[in-house]
Amino acid sequence: MTERRSSHDWSETPLTRQETSQILWSAYGISYLKDLTAGWRHHVVPSAHGRYPLKIWMANSTGVYVYDYWSHRIYLKIDGDKRVEIAEAAGENWMASAPTMLIVVWNSSRLERQDWAYTEAGFVIQNVHLESIAWGLAADWAKV
């Protein structure tokens, strides 16, 4: 796949509602696949022992949101543009110019092994990159 590229050269135009929806779903949304023994639905990324210990937060020019994958909705947690503060806290100032940031947060109480959480976060990043390509968007990631 030669189209996947990391870039800090993105548009200042905010993502559309559809682009935001697709990117969030690709990050940690619920799949149509159902576990036949347990009866619950899987996410679009695999998880060790079905723990799904991650939370996806999103920041844009209007605020900071948490993604609820069960209802496929975002909920405002902090009003106002906090991208500069997030970028400074991460030590990655280039992030501040991104129209949308996704923050992958590990809930360590849901998963004992940190290496599994890193693997799952990698799956999330890969899906976001692939979905970004599909929409003609640029994406990059930073480890904090």
Side-chain angles (χ1 to χ4, degrees):
M1 165 148 300
T2 58
E3 295 178 32
R4 197 211 71 72
R5 67 188 183 352
S6 296
S7 177
H8 301 170
D9 185 27
W10 34 64
S11 169
E12 293 183 22
T13 305
L15 297 181
T16 66
R17 290 174 61 108
Q18 185 65 43
E19 290 167 337
T20 301
S21 175
Q22 289 294 136
I23 296 291
L24 286 168
W25 178 81
S26 75
Y28 219 57
I30 299 297
S31 168
Y32 64 90
L33 299 173
K34 197 171 192 180
D35 187 286
L36 295 177
T37 56
W40 45 267
R41 295 205 180 275
H42 290 276
H43 288 252
V44 295
V45 296
S47 182
H49 300 284
R51 300 285 186 142
Y52 299 106
L54 303 179
K55 278 280 198 191
I56 307 297
W57 289 67
M58 182 189 85
N60 62 21
S61 63
T62 62
V64 178
Y65 303 83
V66 65
Y67 174 57
D68 178 356
Y69 47 80
W70 288 112
S71 64
H72 189 59
R73 296 183 62 173
I74 55 173
Y75 293 95
L76 181 66
K77 293 296 184 179
I78 303 170
D79 195 24
D81 192 349
K82 303 298 180 189
R83 291 174 297 169
V84 170
E85 292 94 328
I86 294 167
E88 287 173 354
E92 301 286 354
N93 292 332
W94 57 265
M95 291 170 38
S97 65
T100 300
M101 294 176 175
L102 296 186
I103 302 103
V104 180
V105 179
W106 172 37
N107 178 354
S108 61
S109 69
R110 297 209 51 187
L111 186 67
E112 302 80 27
R113 294 199 38 194
Q114 188 172 6
D115 58 331
W116 291 350
Y118 286 147
T119 302
E120 193 163 326
F123 295 144
V124 169
I125 293 164
Q126 181 67 23
N127 273 9
V128 168
H129 273 272
L130 291 172
E131 194 68 25
S132 296
I133 291 166
W135 284 90
L137 303 170
D140 203 354
W141 68 278
K143 180 181 172 222
V144 182

